[in-house]
Amino acid sequence: MGVIQIATPHGPAVAEIDEVDGRPAALFVLGHGAGGGVEAPDLMAVRRACVAAGVSVVRVTQPYRVAGRRAPAPANQLDAAWTAVVHEIVKGFPEPPPLVVGGRSSGARVACRTSVALGAAGIVCLAFPLHPPGRPERSRAQELLTGVPTLVVNGDRDPFGVPDPSPGVEVVVRPGQRHDLRGDPRGLGQLVVEWLRGKGWARP
């Protein structure tokens, strides 16, 4: 694994890179939740499973977290920093493999909002926060409607809600799980890999 610092318009971000031998089946860039980090159990489970399936994985820490702040930056700053990081990472591949973007919670929202501009082939959303807890009228469902093939994995007890499936958006609900998706990490990793494999973005 390599750890690099990448300059963005809003301060340095950190990228933790797990490369695979040979040409990767895909490049999967993951972002963290609003107050958390890239060591979250669901992100680590997906990282392990994807690397084993020939997918290079990059976990990105946003500048506000690198600076030691827990309160997230405004959405436009998150998106600009993420975009700068992804562009820099892709430049490191002479022949870039298919780009898959994603993350958990806030990171999933950032991935959705920037996916089209980045030319992403797919999106993986872990614990997509459909609405603030107790505020279903403030739906963020529109952010999922990118036209890019998308996998959403949410727990059925998530207080942030569970999105409905829609054309191009597959939703998998994990019974008994909440927003952290801590239960059955191995199963979560395999679920994501199988979806990637079905798109040709992971090795058999």
Side-chain angles (χ1 to χ4, degrees):
M1 181 183 76
V3 180
I4 60 173
Q5 194 170 91
I6 297 175
T8 84
H10 303 287
V14 169
E16 300 184 34
I17 305 169
D18 288 280
E19 295 193 65
V20 297
D21 293 332
R23 177 173 167 78
L27 171 63
F28 191 6
V29 187
L30 285 163
H32 54 75
V38 295
E39 305 298 323
D42 54 351
L43 295 179
M44 294 300 288
V46 167
R47 167 206 172 215
R48 284 191 296 271
C50 287
V51 170
V55 178
S56 287
V57 177
V58 181
R59 291 169 297 135
V60 176
T61 301
Q62 283 272 0
Y64 76 93
R65 294 293 287 147
V66 174
R69 298 190 299 274
R70 286 188 68 83
N76 64 327
Q77 293 186 20
L78 295 175
D79 293 358
W82 171 262
T83 297
V85 170
V86 175
H87 278 315
E88 191 65 24
I89 291 166
V90 170
K91 275 171 28 182
F93 288 83
E95 297 179 26
L99 172 65
V100 180
V101 295
R104 67 163 280 103
S105 197
S106 170
R109 296 182 65 197
V110 173
C112 288
R113 292 193 300 258
T114 58
S115 58
V116 173
L118 288 170
I123 309 169
V124 175
C125 299
L126 305 175
F128 184 88
L130 180 62
H131 56 71
R135 301 293 302 275
E137 73 281 1
R138 292 180 57 187
S139 174
R140 299 155 177 155
Q142 192 67 28
E143 292 181 353
L144 289 166
L145 305 181
T146 64
V148 178
T150 301
L151 172 67
V152 177
V153 186
N154 275 51
D156 66 350
R157 298 184 183 179
D158 193 331
F160 290 83
V162 179
D164 291 322
S166 58
V169 180
E170 180 180 344
V171 178
V172 178
V173 180
R174 305 283 280 167
Q177 295 199 38
R178 296 180 62 81
H179 195 61
D180 56 19
L181 290 175
R182 284 177 180 269
D184 187 23
R186 178 175 177 148
L188 173 63
Q190 286 307 120
L191 189 160
V192 171
V193 164
E194 287 304 323
W195 185 81
L196 294 172
R197 198 170 278 140
K199 305 291 184 185
W201 303 328
R203 292 177 190 159

